[in-house]
Amino acid sequence: MRNINEIEKKWQNYWEKNKSFKAETGSSKEPYYILVEFPYPSGQGLHVGHVRSYTAQDAMARMMRMQGKNVLFPMGWDAFGAPAEQYAIKNHIHPKEAVKENIKTFKRQMQTLGFSFDWDREFSTTDPEYYKWTQWQFLQFYKHGMAYKDTVPVNWCPTCKSVLSNEDSAGGVCERCGSQVVQKEKSQWMLRMSDYAEDLLKGLDDTNFAEKVKLGQINWIGKSIGAEVDFKVDGCKEQFTVFTTRCDTLFGATYCVLAPEHKLVDKITTKEHKKEVEEYKHACTLKNDMERTELNKEKTGVFTGAYAINPVNNKKIPIYISDYVLASYGTGAIMAVPAHDDRDYEFAKKFNIEIIPVLEGGDISKEPFVGDGLHINSGLLDGLNKEDAINKMIEFLEKNKLGTKKVNYKMRDWIFSRQRFWGEPIPMIYCEKCGWVPMNEEDLPLLLPDVAEYEPTDNGESPLAKITDWVNTTCPKCGGKARRETDTMPNWAGSSWYFLRFMDSHNDKEFASMDAMKYWKRVDWYNGGMEHTARHLLYARFWVQFLYNIGLVPSKEMIWTRVSHGMVLGSDNQKMSKSKGNVINPDDIVKEYGADTLRTYEMFMGDYQMDCPWSTESLKGCKRFIDKVIRLKDKVVDGEEYSTDLEVIINKSIKKVQNDLCSMGFNTAISTLMILANKYDEKDHITKKDYKLLLTLLNPIAPHITEELNEELGYNPICESSWPIYDEAKTIDEEKEIGVQVNGKVRATIKVNINDSEEVIKEKALKEENVIRHIDGKEIVKFIIIKGKIINIVVK
RNA sequence: GCCUGAGUGGUGGAAUGGUAGACGCGUCGGACUCAAAAUCCGAUGGUAGCAAUACCAUGUGGGUUCAAGUCCCACCUCAGGCACCA
């Protein structure tokens, strides 16, 4: 046989030439859309982790095509982003050149692996034909009041010289470069994502996401139901509002805390406390979120000198400021109930504030009691449980106009501006006379200029700000002098709707036609990394829901199932990285062992959804399996029927492989095929049909060699054939070995026939010597026969 | 601290409540070979035993059940995510 790489090349060319995997919009076959997250084409080339998830989805796609479905399995490039920009800065080339190179490498690598993507639908988020529509969609957000400019304290990375989203700077550290993030005030484009909090929560019911994925979304949205309560400041007209989920503990509120940034702080602070308060506030601005949370072991804060009036009992209670209260959540102010909240308790102990228990149970001299209990010291609430007390208190507050029921979400609006060159320009123009004016839609795309300088400015302006030719323009409204927005969009923008574009990739009239979207209906199966299941999925769902609300997509949720894969770790069980020297390059493996072996190994290595270490030894085992399949061809004799003695195992194998490929049981699908091949190997001869069956079942995972062997038998290509159909009746063994237990312990195994009556089985079991020994002299109290599974004899 | 996973041989991992360790890797022994590679055959959880077989064994401790890796309760460890969210 010829060299394995030549065979692989031959079939890759065949598929390309014959457009074997083209998805036809409008075809009468049942549409099925399998999507795998499009990669960021980094300079590192394809990772063996990519190979794992692409092979998995490829196997599904190939099987489903054979089952007669019209499978859409596309691939593209998420190519905007900081790494390409940094690479360009370093090497003094335009990022689009670097991206072009990287895409070429990625695509070549994917093609040598034989993935059945419909390459006719390929695009990159950096193509003007694509980002034109990303910009167009931004304009729709703007025109529907969903995009606005606001000055917000933002996370600033001094190294990247860029603003980061809360998400990107999780933990106070820049996700890109790892530097410490500081706080800075900046005017930013924002998307009103918080308006969609409730819909994003509800929409989950219309999806088939895995439970853990749904939970991730729910946690991120962070809904909590509570009440807002107004507190008057003693001795002046001012008042402030707090948010609480436990308004039933209001009688135990012995102080209030405002966030240091709260607007009221300056107004209510008394002369004697001014200096202290100012110092504390200043200290807080120096700290970023990371430091604030890190130093949370010890509560800090200062007294403002002012007092609030507890609205339920008119008690004067002190007002403090402390950074344990966040300005960005709720109202930026809390009522503190030290008897029943850990944080408030700690604070109260430190500042010697009164602690009044209002719930029965626990010992508050030692620790706060946060459980459920009947109310005490609470006037109208005394004797009630938590739920009743909350309801009664809300009723009381609303009746007396002291507060209202209120729902809060952790999810905030999406900060949409980035001070970078390599992103979609935001198509907005600032005119002294007219203010912010959107570009005319006909003028899109707004292209990135072709210049050679991409360094951000030191004052945090985007590199685009330096390109005056580009920046200076005229106002679309009044025709006067105006300036373009120089910020660009975040990386998440282009990936929030790419799956819609794949339905109609080359449409130059619309981002995708309604007809095409109605035909494909939705992404039926979406595979991606666990790290993207919270953020990316939430952004994409928000984007789609907005488009739905303005009538541009056919349904509110366009993604049905979301699944995630485990990582491929280095053989040292660590994440692969250059510095650790544990990186495996797929090119090397393909060259030495062939794409089919690599694909088979990555599917066999372990549970698809779990991380798994690389093992070249195990890879060789899969090579051996492929070689065995090739060798089996020598046993083939003519015959267009299955060998009689193989019928059961063949039908069983079809059923198992088919079910496993649909439910991500790739490793057990391969083990089934290994068992089948071993069975064939035991025989002197197998029929052509037996052999073709094995090749067909293995084809989704190892498509090249199976096509080659199939062709040598004289059959039409497998990718143009049908998936075999199994006969349920023939998946059952006539005879089976089952265990015989005595008191739950296996003492023998017996052969039973499918037609054996219980009497016969009983008789067989009781004939076994070892069984007789264990029941000897005892009384049989129960005789349990589970057909085809086990026998258990209970004796006393 | 909270949420989500996961703890099974030397190793990657299999097991709709029904013979734990499928399938693969490694190791050991054997065949073929001048030799090696490749391939093939056999053995391989632990302890005891020549063996039949017995006992132990799925992170720990309880429980439910004729039967528990699987279900329930408590706890321990590891990984990932969130983290002062009132």
Side-chain angles (χ1 to χ4, degrees):
Chain A
M1 184 177 282
R2 277 171 301 151
N3 172 289
I4 203 90
N5 286 311
E6 277 173 44
I7 293 170
E8 289 176 351
K9 190 78 212 146
K10 167 184 161 186
W11 286 99
Q12 285 154 13
N13 289 340
Y14 179 90
W15 297 325
E16 197 180 348
K17 210 162 76 201
N18 291 279
K19 296 210 180 290
S20 303
F21 310 122
K22 191 170 173 61
E24 210 72 64
T25 301
S27 145
S28 60
K29 289 184 193 170
E30 187 194 337
Y32 197 87
Y33 184 176
I34 299 175
L35 181 67
V36 58
E37 273 175 2
F38 64 164
Y40 175 78
S42 74
Q44 321 279 313
L46 207 64
H47 187 274
V48 284
H50 291 120
V51 178
R52 192 183 193 190
S53 53
Y54 299 166
T55 305
Q57 309 318 306
D58 188 46
M60 272 182 77
R62 284 174 178 271
M63 179 179 69
M64 287 190 176
R65 279 192 207 98
M66 283 192 252
Q67 289 172 327
K69 291 197 172 100
N70 184 23
V71 175
L72 171 54
F73 185 43
M75 181 46 69
W77 317 103
D78 188 16
F80 275 127
E85 185 169 318
Q86 245 124 51
Y87 180 85
I89 290 172
K90 224 171 158 183
N91 299 287
H92 301 289
I93 55 167
H94 196 287
K96 80 179 171 193
E97 299 305 327
V99 160
K100 214 194 247 168
E101 278 307 302
N102 290 345
I103 287 177
K104 221 170 108 187
T105 306
F106 264 69
K107 189 169 176 180
R108 178 190 56 75
Q109 290 184 297
M110 286 182 188
Q111 283 175 327
T112 61
L113 282 153
F115 299 131
S116 66
F117 297 127
D118 177 0
W119 286 110
D120 285 354
R121 291 173 188 259
E122 176 192 3
F123 63 82
S124 167
T125 53
T126 55
D127 295 340
E129 298 77 25
Y130 180 81
Y131 73 71
K132 165 182 175 170
W133 295 110
T134 311
Q135 292 173 330
W136 183 85
Q137 289 170 45
F138 176 85
L139 290 183
Q140 308 314 307
F141 276 109
Y142 180 79
K143 287 172 183 177
H144 287 84
M146 290 291 291
Y148 64 99
K149 212 151 197 201
D150 196 15
T151 302
V152 281
V154 291
N155 308 297
W156 171 257
C157 172
T159 308
C160 300
K161 288 170 185 161
S162 181
V163 176
L164 305 166
S165 67
N166 282 322
E167 291 85 343
D168 280 331
S169 61
V173 172
C174 174
E175 200 187 47
R176 280 272 136 61
C177 70
S179 332
Q180 280 233 322
V181 173
V182 298
Q183 301 299 302
K184 190 168 170 166
E185 290 272 322
K186 190 119 184 72
S187 175
Q188 304 280 313
W189 284 102
M190 311 279 291
L191 295 189
R192 280 187 212 283
M193 190 156 160
S194 58
D195 283 9
Y196 277 64
E198 194 59 37
D199 283 345
L200 288 170
L201 213 47
K202 278 202 200 115
L204 291 171
D205 295 340
D206 301 325
T207 71
N208 187 37
F209 299 166
E211 214 41 50
K212 63 175 176 179
V213 174
K214 283 190 182 181
L215 266 167
Q217 303 267 297
I218 290 167
N219 290 340
W220 202 275
I221 295 165
K223 178 177 183 170
S224 60
I225 300 169
E228 284 191 348
V229 185
D230 298 328
F231 280 72
K232 288 198 167 65
V233 179
D234 187 42
C236 69
K237 276 195 215 125
E238 303 293 345
Q239 66 166 32
F240 61 93
T241 304
V242 304
F243 174 71
T244 174
T245 54
R246 291 300 301 272
C247 61
D248 57 311
T249 60
L250 203 40
F251 285 91
T254 53
Y255 66 97
C256 283
V257 186
L258 303 182
E261 300 89 346
H262 197 284
K263 288 188 178 76
L264 211 60
V265 174
D266 292 339
K267 288 186 191 161
I268 61 166
T269 303
T270 59
K271 267 187 202 145
E272 304 81 63
H273 294 86
K274 199 119 220 154
K275 197 176 159 226
E276 245 186 309
V277 166
E278 283 307 317
E279 278 172 8
Y280 187 78
K281 278 177 67 179
H282 181 67
C284 287
T285 60
L286 293 180
K287 287 194 237 168
N288 59 32
D289 279 354
M290 178 63 169
E291 287 165 331
R292 281 198 189 186
T293 47
E294 262 220 302
L295 297 174
N296 82 15
K297 302 272 179 286
E298 176 104 347
K299 291 274 175 291
T300 60
V302 291
F303 180 42
T304 59
Y307 290 85
I309 306 293
N310 185 333
V312 291
N313 56 16
N314 291 319
K315 264 193 175 173
K316 263 173 69 170
I317 56 175
I319 303 172
Y320 283 76
I321 64 169
S322 171
D323 62 4
Y324 87 89
V325 172
L326 307 173
S328 54
Y329 182 77
T331 59
I334 63 158
M335 66 177 210
V337 185
H340 306 294
D341 181 281
D342 293 325
R343 296 152 299 178
D344 297 346
Y345 186 83
E346 206 189 311
F347 191 89
K349 279 277 171 191
K350 183 166 173 186
F351 291 92
N352 269 319
I353 305 169
E354 193 182 8
I355 299 173
I356 302 174
V358 291
L359 297 172
E360 232 170 40
D363 176 5
I364 61 129
S365 65
K366 291 200 187 78
E367 55 183 8
F369 172 70
V370 288
D372 201 354
L374 296 182
H375 286 67
I376 49 170
N377 302 328
S378 294
L380 73 160
L381 305 181
D382 280 349
L384 297 179
N385 67 17
K386 177 175 157 183
E387 200 188 328
D388 292 341
I390 288 177
N391 288 331
K392 187 152 190 183
M393 180 55 87
I394 288 175
E395 198 184 305
F396 173 82
L397 291 169
E398 293 190 334
K399 204 167 97 194
N400 294 287
K401 302 216 166 6
L402 298 169
T404 51
K405 190 172 175 178
K406 169 83 183 174
V407 175
N408 247 312
Y409 301 92
K410 282 192 225 175
M411 194 177 73
R412 282 162 260 187
D413 282 349
W414 182 359
I415 302 174
F416 204 68
S417 295
R418 296 291 183 278
Q419 289 64 47
R420 309 215 133 270
F421 175 83
W422 194 232
E424 301 89 340
I426 295 174
M428 297 294 295
I429 291 169
Y430 187 76
C431 166
E432 289 292 341
K433 257 186 264 166
C434 313
W436 282 106
V437 182
M439 273 179 70
N440 288 323
E441 289 178 11
E442 312 84 80
D443 296 337
L444 296 178
L446 170 58
L447 296 174
L448 277 167
D450 279 323
V451 290
E453 273 186 81
Y454 320 106
E455 288 80 357
T457 64
D458 290 339
N459 62 2
E461 294 283 317
S462 153
L464 288 171
K466 291 187 291 195
I467 306 166
T468 46
D469 282 358
W470 187 86
V471 171
N472 292 326
T473 183
T474 51
C475 172
K477 213 169 171 183
C478 70
K481 268 195 188 169
R483 287 172 58 83
R484 290 190 193 285
E485 170 62 62
T486 58
D487 286 352
T488 55
M489 298 188 199
N491 219 189
W492 308 102
S495 57
S496 288
W497 71 280
Y498 75 109
F499 43 92
L500 302 175
R501 185 67 174 173
F502 278 137
M503 295 175 174
D504 194 8
S505 293
H506 305 298
N507 192 328
D508 57 1
K509 306 276 185 296
E510 306 162 90
F511 66 86
S513 78
M514 192 53 109
D515 281 351
M517 286 188 281
K518 276 186 176 160
Y519 174 77
W520 291 108
K521 211 164 121 199
R522 64 185 184 194
V523 177
D524 293 288
W525 188 272
Y526 188 18
N527 180 88
M530 202 52 214
E531 70 277 17
H532 289 145
T533 50
R535 290 195 247 171
H536 158 63
L537 204 55
L538 206 55
Y539 288 137
R541 293 181 56 231
F542 162 60
W543 201 284
V544 165
Q545 287 204 355
F546 167 72
L547 294 177
Y548 173 79
N549 286 344
I550 61 170
L552 296 179
V553 295
S555 43
K556 207 162 184 172
E557 297 289 340
M558 294 288 287
I559 298 168
W560 175 239
T561 298
R562 166 74 187 202
V563 296
S564 56
H565 55 260
M567 276 186 292
V568 179
L569 304 172
S571 50
D572 54 357
N573 235 311
Q574 305 272 312
K575 243 184 179 172
M576 281 193 191
S577 78
K578 264 190 189 163
S579 58
K580 291 197 197 96
N582 59 357
V583 176
I584 300 288
N585 182 345
D587 282 346
D588 298 340
I589 305 296
V590 169
K591 213 166 156 195
E592 190 169 352
Y593 300 93
D596 286 331
T597 296
L598 176 57
R599 290 170 58 117
T600 305
Y601 169 60
E602 292 216 29
M603 290 299 90
F604 185 62
M605 67 192 334
D607 183 334
Y608 178 66
Q609 295 183 76
M610 305 280 225
D611 294 353
C612 190
W614 177 270
S615 159
T616 304
E617 289 309 313
S618 289
L619 172 93
K620 286 179 189 166
C622 290
K623 169 90 169 109
R624 250 171 249 163
F625 167 61
I626 302 264
D627 288 344
K628 179 180 272 181
V629 172
I630 296 171
R631 264 200 324 275
L632 283 172
K633 189 168 161 272
D634 299 339
K635 300 194 181 213
V636 172
V637 294
D638 275 343
E640 293 301 328
E641 290 303 323
Y642 295 136
S643 300
T644 323
D645 55 340
L646 291 175
E647 252 184 342
V648 170
I649 192 168
I650 282 175
N651 278 281
K652 267 194 199 166
S653 299
I654 299 169
K655 182 178 178 179
K656 174 85 175 136
V657 170
Q658 180 176 317
N659 289 340
D660 280 355
L661 292 189
C662 294
S663 55
M664 298 186 285
F666 304 102
N667 53 343
T668 48
I670 292 169
S671 122
T672 302
L673 292 171
M674 285 172 169
I675 292 168
L676 185 64
N678 289 343
K679 200 81 189 174
Y680 283 12
D681 203 24
E682 280 171 20
K683 292 179 46 113
D684 293 331
H685 301 289
I686 52 172
T687 67
K688 264 174 94 171
K689 190 167 178 190
D690 294 334
Y691 193 54
K692 183 181 169 104
L693 183 272
L694 173 65
L695 297 179
T696 309
L697 293 185
L698 179 59
N699 175 269
I701 289 161
H704 309 89
I705 190 65
T706 48
E707 284 287 14
E708 183 69 12
L709 293 165
N710 177 71
E711 187 184 63
E712 286 172 13
L713 288 187
Y715 290 117
N716 286 335
I718 298 174
C719 65
E720 288 154 29
S721 314
S722 299
W723 186 255
I725 292 167
Y726 65 88
D727 180 350
E728 183 70 49
K730 287 183 181 163
T731 60
I732 299 153
D733 286 301
E734 279 272 301
E735 206 171 53
K736 210 176 171 185
E737 272 204 351
I738 65 169
V740 182
Q741 298 180 329
V742 178
N743 282 350
K745 292 205 165 183
V746 181
R747 297 304 180 186
T749 58
I750 54 168
K751 272 191 183 165
V752 292
N753 192 281
I754 189 105
N755 299 315
D756 282 353
S757 67
E758 294 213 349
E759 285 312 307
V760 174
I761 294 169
K762 214 170 191 175
E763 215 175 285
K764 280 183 182 172
L766 290 173
K767 251 191 245 164
E768 288 293 318
E769 246 181 71
N770 204 32
V771 173
I772 294 168
R773 194 142 34 113
H774 280 91
I775 59 176
D776 184 40
K778 289 171 184 155
E779 184 200 344
I780 296 177
V781 286
K782 228 175 188 180
F783 207 110
I784 297 159
I785 300 174
I786 310 293
K787 277 244 161 156
K789 297 226 163 116
I790 206 154
I791 293 162
N792 193 5
I793 306 167
V794 186
V795 296
K796 237 192 332 202

